[in-house]
Amino acid sequence: MNFKSIGIPTIKLLVIAAVITILLFLTNNTTEAKIAQNQADANVASRKEVLPDADDFDEKTVTVDGVEYTYYEAKNGAGYVFSGSNKGYGGAVVAMVGISSDGKVVGVKVTEAADETPGLGAKWVATDASGDERRAQFIGDIPEGGSFAVKKDGGKIQAVAGATITSRAVTHDVNDAIAQYNAVVGGAN
């Protein structure tokens, strides 16, 4: 074995790896701020989607049962946006919930349910009319007792057939938002 057969190819590979590493580093540094800004813009759009009468939001925190949550209050007094996260069938199911200042649920958007079964639990995320109908079950007055439940548990929320676990997770997300709302306004609804 001589240097030409082992050393030169090794040096070439090291140089190629170093160049690729430098290019990846530069690419990450130039796109990181843009990715963060795009995510922030998407979050604002989602908040306005669930609370359409809001103009802009102030970020605040509230503590419920010893856990601190971040929520958003509309600057024009239209209401609040809360989030909940509960375990679904395949992983975390996160929903953003808009509650008006007079205590009505005005919007629900499932923002994360990537691990739910396609065609079943993932139907809660669907942007078509059926997904809108599913989430619309929560719109309106907060029920007596301050929480929703799926029909199998004695409530009014119709679960997706074959996806009761995901349906319960979304329902719990909305209930978490209601609990946060009650903590913010200082009472039970």
Side-chain angles (χ1 to χ4, degrees), residues 31-48 59 72 83 94 96 109-112:
T31 60
E32 188 174 30
K34 183 65 174 168
I35 291 170
Q37 184 60 48
N38 287 345
Q39 183 62 46
D41 292 346
N43 289 339
V44 169
S46 291
R47 287 192 285 274
K48 286 189 177 188
E59 183 176 308
Y72 298 88
S83 289
V94 180
M96 192 176 284
K109 179 178 183 173
V110 178
T111 58
E112 184 180 323

Side-chain angles (χ1 to χ4, degrees), residues 5-116:
S5 65
I6 295 177
I8 293 177
T10 302
I11 292 171
K12 286 181 180 179
L13 283 174
L14 289 173
V15 169
I16 290 170
V19 168
I20 290 172
T21 302
I22 290 168
L23 290 174
L24 285 173
F25 174 77
L26 293 172
T27 300
N28 183 54
N29 280 347
T30 58
T31 60
E32 188 174 30
K34 183 65 174 168
I35 291 170
Q37 184 60 48
N38 287 345
Q39 183 62 46
D41 292 346
N43 289 339
V44 169
S46 291
R47 287 192 285 274
K48 286 189 177 188
E49 186 176 329
V50 298
L51 192 63
D53 291 340
D55 56 352
D56 200 7
F57 298 92
D58 286 325
E59 183 176 308
K60 298 188 175 193
T61 59
V62 63
T63 302
V64 177
D65 296 330
V67 179
E68 189 171 270
Y69 296 94
T70 299
Y71 73 96
Y72 298 88
E73 183 176 356
K75 288 183 177 182
N76 65 352
Y80 311 88
V81 176
F82 303 95
S83 289
S85 177
N86 285 277
K87 173 117 175 58
Y89 181 74
V93 175
V94 180
M96 192 176 284
V97 181
I99 301 179
S100 65
S101 54
D102 63 350
K104 296 181 188 301
V105 176
V106 294
V108 175
K109 179 178 183 173
V110 178
T111 58
E112 184 180 323
D115 296 328
E116 298 308 291

Side-chain angles (χ1 to χ4, degrees), residues 123-137:
K123 288 183 177 182
W124 281 98
V125 183
T127 57
D128 62 6
S130 67
D132 292 343
E133 285 177 29
R134 225 168 259 105
R135 292 181 298 274
Q137 297 178 83

